[in-house]
Amino acid sequence: MKNKCFNIVWLIAILLSFTACNDFLDIQPVGKVMPKTGQEFRDLLTEAYSAIPSDRGMATFRSDELTLEGEQNQESLNSYLDIWCWNDVAPDQTTLSFGWQRYYYVNYIANSVIENKDNITEATQAERNQLAGEAYMLRAYMHFILVNLYAAPYTHCNPAATKGIPLKLNSDVREVLSRNTVAEVYASILSDINEAEKLLNVENWPEGETYRFNTLSANAFRARVYLYMGDWANAYDYATDVVNRHGELEDLTTSSTLPNHYQSVEAILSMERLFIASSLGVGYVNPELMSLYRSGDMRRSKFYRQISASATEVLKAGTNEFRCTFRSAEFYLTAAEAALELNDMDNARHYLTELMKKRYLAAIYPTYEAEVLAGQLAQFDRLIGETEIKNVDVSNYIGWKSGVYIFEDKSIEQIMDELSLWYDIEVFFRNNISRNRHFSGSLPRYREIDDMLKVIEKTSHVRFEVKGKTIIVD
């Protein structure tokens, strides 16, 4: 998905090919009508919301959160195997595609609303402002998704020089676009959020309309953008503002409602359905991911279902009831991570434990809370009922969110097993001594694997020999 080349010439034809706008936006005078009234523009925005693709869940096959290991259904293999294998050069004709063009279609509608804000009839000024504010947020969010699907991460490139995706800031379908830099895309996103904040005036939408942007969603969006930029001070400020204004959390020890359900107390914006229904039941949850859930973590049983000794499937996605864009738990984690990066350990621990107490069994939570507060890790053995305590860093709990591998006294074999999931490599050990050596430290994802191996070599007394996709450890 990264650095996918766009054929922008296609964009004009693609935008013009969509006809599900209730006859709006067609060129007059061909018997069609341009939207004029507040209700007509609301209908147009509703079309834009409904057009947001539901295919980003397919990227979980790229990240190996889902795996096709053991998948026997031929139809599933035909649709997803080349996605899982990163085969973008010559995928099978039956391979599902990522709908990048639909994000630009949504932006086309958003741009049309923005450009016509002052001409909307039969609407109050507040209603016109709200419509335009939602359009600015939609445009910013579509660009945000695109730049994160198709460009290098902001914190792992030179954003001012690295090409990102084309910005589309008007409704002119004849304009020939070129790729903007990653920095330019992020600057546009933040500018659109600023414009939206001036216009949004609905604090809460009634049930059935919670897919629409509200006033709180501006700071929620900012917190996420600044997190992705590594701007820890702003990420912390906006995340804590969201928590202070909407800090409710589902208690998974007592509640039957999942946190990403549109009726959850955590819901801030219920806009996106991240999985298409047909993705459910395809492949299995990677055992490496499941192993990250510790004893007493209620998310494991609430979010997943084990269907055999080696296979687990997802329960928390795929239908409209799991539309979710922003929810409060995200901002506890953002605040904790940002505080950690700012060396504010007290607040890092505070926001992390506030979330943990709603996710772990009451009998086990005090043990985990104590280890976080003391900077220690307790490994609880359910079978014998004993706990082993050792020192840890709080970053082990939240570092994964910023794309960092964190290894604490892991064997080289364990580390290479994890890296092989991300880098499609095959690993061989010349002897058991190198296999059992240990390494502690953090390694940024998205770096070339050669860079990571050099770091491990310097501290672990092992040597790596790279031959194509084969790595020999000595």
Side-chain angles (χ1 to χ4, degrees):
M1 295 289 293
K2 300 292 184 187
N3 299 321
K4 182 184 176 87
C5 292
F6 285 92
N7 187 340
I8 303 303
V9 176
W10 291 351
L11 185 57
I12 298 173
I14 290 167
L15 290 175
L16 291 175
S17 70
F18 288 103
T19 57
C21 283
N22 299 322
D23 293 336
F24 293 144
L25 299 180
D26 288 299
I27 303 299
Q28 290 181 299
V30 293
K32 308 294 184 180
V33 295
M34 293 289 289
K36 295 178 181 178
T37 69
Q39 184 57 55
E40 288 170 345
F41 274 98
R42 171 54 68 190
D43 292 342
L44 191 60
L45 270 186
T46 300
E47 162 64 20
Y49 282 117
S50 66
I52 297 172
S54 301
D55 59 5
R56 278 194 294 143
M58 294 192 299
T60 57
F61 288 101
R62 286 285 165 95
S63 62
D64 283 327
E65 295 166 71
L66 292 179
T67 175
L68 288 176
E69 291 281 0
E71 177 61 68
Q72 300 296 319
N73 184 287
Q74 191 59 49
E75 183 178 350
S76 297
L77 291 172
N78 290 344
S79 298
Y80 292 91
L81 182 61
D82 283 332
I83 296 173
W84 184 50
C85 295
W86 290 74
N87 178 18
D88 292 328
V89 177
D92 189 88
Q93 291 183 351
T94 60
T95 300
L96 296 177
S97 60
F98 289 85
W100 64 266
Q101 70 273 22
R102 293 194 69 87
Y103 294 108
Y104 283 103
Y105 171 59
V106 173
N107 270 6
Y108 173 57
I109 295 178
N111 286 326
S112 298
V113 174
I114 292 169
E115 292 166 0
N116 288 280
K117 176 180 80 74
D118 295 331
N119 300 321
I120 299 174
T121 64
E122 299 180 27
T124 66
Q125 187 61 51
E127 290 170 337
R128 285 191 288 270
N129 287 346
Q130 178 65 30
L131 288 166
E134 291 177 52
Y136 275 112
M137 290 291 280
L138 271 172
R139 185 171 76 181
Y141 200 72
M142 296 304 101
H143 284 144
F144 181 75
I145 294 174
L146 285 164
V147 76
N148 279 285
L149 282 176
Y150 296 99
Y154 191 97
T155 55
H156 293 74
C157 69
N158 177 355
T162 302
K163 289 296 185 181
I165 53 98
L167 288 168
K168 183 58 179 170
L169 303 175
N170 59 58
S171 61
D172 180 4
V173 297
R174 295 172 178 80
E175 179 185 23
V176 177
L177 303 179
S178 59
R179 293 168 67 192
N180 295 83
T181 66
V182 171
E184 288 170 338
V185 175
Y186 273 80
S188 177
I189 291 166
L190 289 170
S191 175
D192 276 352
I193 297 174
N194 291 340
E195 291 303 312
E197 186 177 45
K198 301 173 187 176
L199 299 167
L200 294 170
N201 53 74
V202 175
E203 293 186 6
N204 296 292
W205 291 101
E207 184 170 331
E209 298 176 358
T210 54
Y211 61 87
R212 300 173 181 174
F213 286 100
N214 54 29
T215 53
L216 183 57
S217 61
N219 277 357
F221 193 5
R222 282 195 185 100
R224 185 182 293 177
V225 172
Y226 283 122
L227 174 73
Y228 279 45
M229 295 175 69
D231 184 338
W232 305 115
N234 274 315
Y236 180 81
D237 288 344
Y238 287 114
T240 53
D241 176 75
V242 174
V243 169
N244 290 336
R245 293 163 62 186
H246 187 99
E248 296 90 340
L249 293 168
E250 290 289 351
D251 187 342
L252 293 188
T253 66
T254 59
S255 176
S256 60
T257 303
L258 295 186
N260 63 325
H261 193 280
Y262 80 98
Q263 292 179 322
S264 168
V265 297
E266 297 190 17
I268 296 172
L269 178 65
S270 303
M271 182 174 70
E272 298 169 274
R273 192 179 70 178
L274 300 182
F275 270 86
I276 56 176
S278 60
S279 293
L280 292 181
V282 176
Y284 306 104
V285 182
N286 194 317
E288 293 285 334
L289 174 59
M290 296 306 300
S291 70
L292 298 176
Y293 291 94
R294 303 174 66 190
S295 175
D297 191 333
M298 296 301 295
R299 293 173 298 179
R300 181 179 181 118
S301 60
K302 299 275 189 175
F303 292 175
Y304 309 100
R305 177 169 56 221
Q306 189 164 350
I307 56 179
S308 71
S310 60
T312 304
E313 63 181 5
V314 178
L315 296 176
K316 58 171 184 172
T319 62
N320 279 332
E321 62 185 328
F322 293 117
R323 286 187 178 272
C324 180
T325 299
F326 301 130
R327 59 185 176 94
S328 52
E330 172 185 347
F331 304 100
Y332 281 87
L333 287 171
T334 299
E337 182 177 355
L340 177 67
E341 294 289 345
L342 295 168
N343 295 315
D344 182 356
M345 297 306 296
D346 288 341
N347 276 316
R349 293 185 177 107
H350 166 71
Y351 286 106
L352 182 58
T353 54
E354 285 298 300
L355 178 59
M356 288 171 61
K357 72 176 61 173
K358 302 294 186 179
R359 299 299 192 251
Y360 290 93
L361 286 173
I364 294 178
Y365 167 72
T367 301
Y368 295 158
E369 179 190 40
E371 69 192 37
V372 172
L373 296 178
Q376 292 183 319
L377 172 66
Q379 292 186 325
F380 180 77
D381 190 319
R382 181 183 294 176
L383 295 178
I384 63 176
E386 293 182 357
T387 302
E388 176 188 1
I389 305 292
K390 59 181 179 177
N391 292 328
V392 298
D393 190 323
V394 175
S395 61
N396 287 348
Y397 289 84
I398 57 182
W400 61 270
K401 288 182 77 267
S402 56
V404 177
Y405 294 105
I406 298 178
F407 302 111
E408 183 181 344
D409 196 29
K410 289 285 188 74
S411 71
I412 298 301
E413 182 177 28
Q414 291 172 312
I415 291 171
M416 297 310 294
D417 283 345
E418 183 166 343
L419 293 180
S420 67
L421 296 173
W422 282 82
Y423 289 93
D424 189 25
I425 56 174
E426 198 168 4
V427 181
F428 295 94
F429 290 86
R430 283 205 168 105
N431 55 68
N432 286 330
I433 295 177
S434 59
R435 186 190 302 267
N436 294 317
R437 291 192 184 276
H438 283 66
F439 170 82
S440 294
S442 61
L443 300 171
R445 289 178 177 170
Y446 312 112
R447 294 282 297 274
E448 294 295 331
I449 193 167
D450 289 354
D451 296 336
M452 294 189 177
L453 299 181
K454 289 176 183 176
V455 174
I456 298 173
E457 281 183 335
K458 289 180 180 179
T459 59
S460 301
H461 306 291
V462 296
R463 293 293 177 265
F464 299 99
E465 182 181 350
V466 181
K467 296 182 176 181
K469 290 192 174 184
T470 300
I471 296 177
I472 301 171
V473 188
D474 194 0

